[in-house]
Amino acid sequence: MSERLQPGDVAPAFTLPDADGNEVSLSDHKGRKVIVYFYPAALTPGCTKQACDFTDNLELLTGAGYDVIGISPDSPDKLGKFREQESLKVTLLADPDKKVLDAYGAYGEKKNYGKTYLGVIRSTIVVDEDGKVERALYNVRATGHVAKIIKDLGI
């Protein structure tokens, strides 16, 4: 389990396949701010709500200079189904070996009904134009989170 990122840290570089199997890198977004959010699983209620919230607010976010990338341990195929089923517009990336999740501190111990296990920690990292962490939010809620980010970023 890796350390959580802090504002001012350099955001770990990554290149992952999207829902169509195309490689997407953080460096592709240099010069723009990027909201990278990590979620446990496509096609589940909370993750669907969160992805739909980002999609509904994508124009507002991109207009304010932010790109949005969602990362989960799902396969590109499952991400494609998720995108089609929910008409998602955000970029969804697959991290099945959880290397990027780990590098961003978004994979680790979780507790549910008194049991401790390893899993994806719902997290959002805002990366500035220079590739540095501007905000690092961990254990966020799926519902209402996008509205809170928009408010916190003053958009």
Side-chain angles (χ1 to χ4, degrees):
M1 195 169 92
S2 64
E3 292 290 308
R4 291 185 169 186
L5 297 176
Q6 301 295 323
D9 289 351
V10 173
F14 62 78
T15 301
L16 293 170
D18 67 9
D20 299 314
N22 301 315
E23 296 209 327
V24 176
S25 300
L26 181 60
S27 59
D28 297 343
H29 299 269
K30 198 147 183 69
R32 283 186 61 83
K33 294 184 177 204
V34 186
I35 296 170
V36 184
Y37 79 97
F38 297 91
Y39 62 99
L43 302 167
T44 58
C47 298
T48 297
K49 173 82 179 102
Q50 188 178 22
C52 288
D53 278 355
F54 272 118
T55 291
D56 293 346
N57 289 286
L58 195 58
E59 249 177 69
L60 178 69
L61 291 164
T62 54
Y66 291 89
D67 293 335
V68 179
I69 297 174
I71 299 177
S72 73
D74 297 305
S75 69
D77 282 353
K78 187 172 180 188
L79 296 178
K81 286 185 186 97
F82 188 33
R83 183 185 61 199
E84 299 311 312
Q85 191 172 315
E86 302 298 334
S87 303
L88 301 174
K89 304 251 183 300
V90 294
T91 301
L92 300 174
L93 302 182
D95 184 20
D97 5 354
K98 303 175 189 75
K99 285 191 170 91
V100 176
L101 283 154
D102 198 43
Y104 277 76
Y107 187 79
E109 266 189 17
K110 294 172 69 165
K111 282 187 173 34
N112 198 11
Y113 301 113
K115 286 194 183 348
T116 302
Y117 61 98
L118 286 178
V120 176
I121 299 161
R122 193 180 302 276
S123 313
T124 301
I125 310 298
V126 179
V127 180
D128 71 13
E129 301 90 340
D130 300 319
K132 288 212 166 45
V133 175
E134 190 177 295
R135 290 165 193 262
L137 310 163
Y138 292 95
N139 295 311
V140 301
R141 296 189 153 292
T143 308
H145 177 59
V146 176
K148 183 180 179 339
I149 289 175
I150 289 168
K151 184 173 174 246
D152 288 353
L153 294 174
I155 300 171

